[in-house]
C-alpha cells in the first residue's frame, strides 16, 4: 500500500521535497526483496484498516531510523505546528521506541528485512534515505554518488 512508502511527515500533514527521498529508500528495499520477503518481512506493514494507523506507522518509522531525541525534537519543530500533536509524538517515542534503541542500529534493523545477505553499501543507501528528520535526508545529487548506485550503474 502507499502507506508503506510514505514519509513520516505525511502522516502529520506536512510535505517537503525530502519526503520523496524517504520513498526512494522504501522502494529500494521493496525492489531488492524477494516476493516472499515482501510478505514475511515488510518494511512498515500497516494497512488503512489498522486501528490508530498513525501511531503504528510512526513508531515503526522512528525505530527503523533509530531516531535520536534531538532529531525527534527538531522533527516536531519542523513538521508539527500543533502542540498537542507534538506531545503525542514525543509520548509515542518514549513509550514505543526508546526501549528498543539501545540494542538496535539502522543497519541491524534494515538487514532484518531481507532473507539473504545484502551488501553494506545498499544498507548505507537505504539508511541515508530513511532519516526520520527530513532535513537530514540527502539530496538526490548526493544519493546518485553513493557507492550502491555507482556500482549498480557500471
Amino acid at each position: 500500500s502507499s502507506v508503506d512508502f510514505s514519509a513520516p511527515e505525511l502522516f502529520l500533514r506536512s510535505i517537503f521535497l525530502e519526503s520523496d527521498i524517504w520513498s526512494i529508500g522504501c522502494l529500494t528495499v521493496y525492489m531488492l526483496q524477494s516476493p516472499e520477503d515482501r510478505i514475511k518481512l515488510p518494511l512498515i506493514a500497516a494497512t488503512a484498516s489498522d486501528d490508530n494507523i498513525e501511531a503504528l506507522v510512526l513508531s515503526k518509522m522512528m525505530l527503523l531510523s533509530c531516531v535520536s531525541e534531538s532529531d525527534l525534537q527538531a522533527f516536531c519543530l519542523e513538521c508539527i505546528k500543533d502542540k498537542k500533536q507534538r506531545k503525542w509524538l514525543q509520548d509515542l517515542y518514549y513509550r514505543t521506541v526508546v526501549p528498543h534503541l539501545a540494542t538496535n542500529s539502522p543497519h541491524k534493523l534494515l538487514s532484518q528485512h531481507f532473507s539473504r545477505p545484502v551488501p553494506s553499501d545498499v544498507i548505507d543507501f537505504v539508511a541515508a534515505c530513511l532519516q526520520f528528520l527530513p532535513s537530514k535526508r540527502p539530496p538526490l545529487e548526493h544519493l546518485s554518488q553513493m557507492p550502491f548506485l555507482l556500482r549498480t550503474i557500471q
Side-chain angles (χ1 to χ4, degrees):
S1 75
S2 61
V3 167
D4 295 336
F5 305 105
S6 298
E9 58 273 14
L10 298 178
F11 290 93
L12 300 162
R13 317 298 180 258
S14 292
I15 190 165
F16 302 92
L17 290 173
E18 295 87 359
S19 301
D20 292 336
I21 302 298
W22 178 279
S23 299
I24 289 169
C26 294
L27 285 167
T28 302
V29 170
Y30 186 82
M31 288 187 302
L32 295 173
Q33 285 181 314
S34 69
E36 295 79 25
D37 287 351
R38 289 183 199 131
I39 294 166
K40 294 178 187 173
L41 307 167
L43 200 57
I44 303 297
T47 64
S49 63
D50 284 331
D51 289 340
N52 206 358
I53 189 169
E54 287 87 3
L56 175 68
V57 170
L58 287 167
S59 290
K60 290 181 179 185
M61 290 173 166
M62 286 189 284
L63 184 57
L64 235 130
S65 62
C66 291
V67 67
S68 67
E69 189 172 358
S70 60
D71 282 355
L72 178 71
Q73 300 307 326
F75 180 89
C76 286
L77 292 173
E78 286 180 24
C79 303
I80 307 173
K81 292 177 180 70
D82 182 62
K83 287 182 182 179
K84 282 174 118 176
Q85 219 176 15
R86 283 183 191 167
K87 175 139 178 41
W88 173 83
L89 185 63
Q90 290 166 339
D91 290 346
L92 182 68
Y93 173 75
Y94 291 111
R95 194 174 65 251
T96 64
V97 178
V98 169
H100 303 283
L101 288 179
T103 58
N104 287 297
S105 70
H107 277 253
K108 181 178 175 184
L109 290 166
L110 290 169
S111 295
Q112 293 172 357
H113 292 281
F114 300 96
S115 58
R116 59 183 168 73
V118 175
S120 63
D121 61 349
V122 173
I123 300 297
D124 291 341
F125 178 86
V126 173
C129 293
L130 299 184
Q131 292 291 317
F132 195 77
L133 183 60
S135 60
K136 280 199 162 181
R137 296 178 203 144
L140 284 173
E141 298 79 25
H142 177 80
L143 286 177
S144 68
Q145 297 304 307
M146 292 189 76
F148 161 60
L149 285 185
L150 293 175
R151 179 174 49 82
T152 305
I153 293 170
Q154 294 175 349

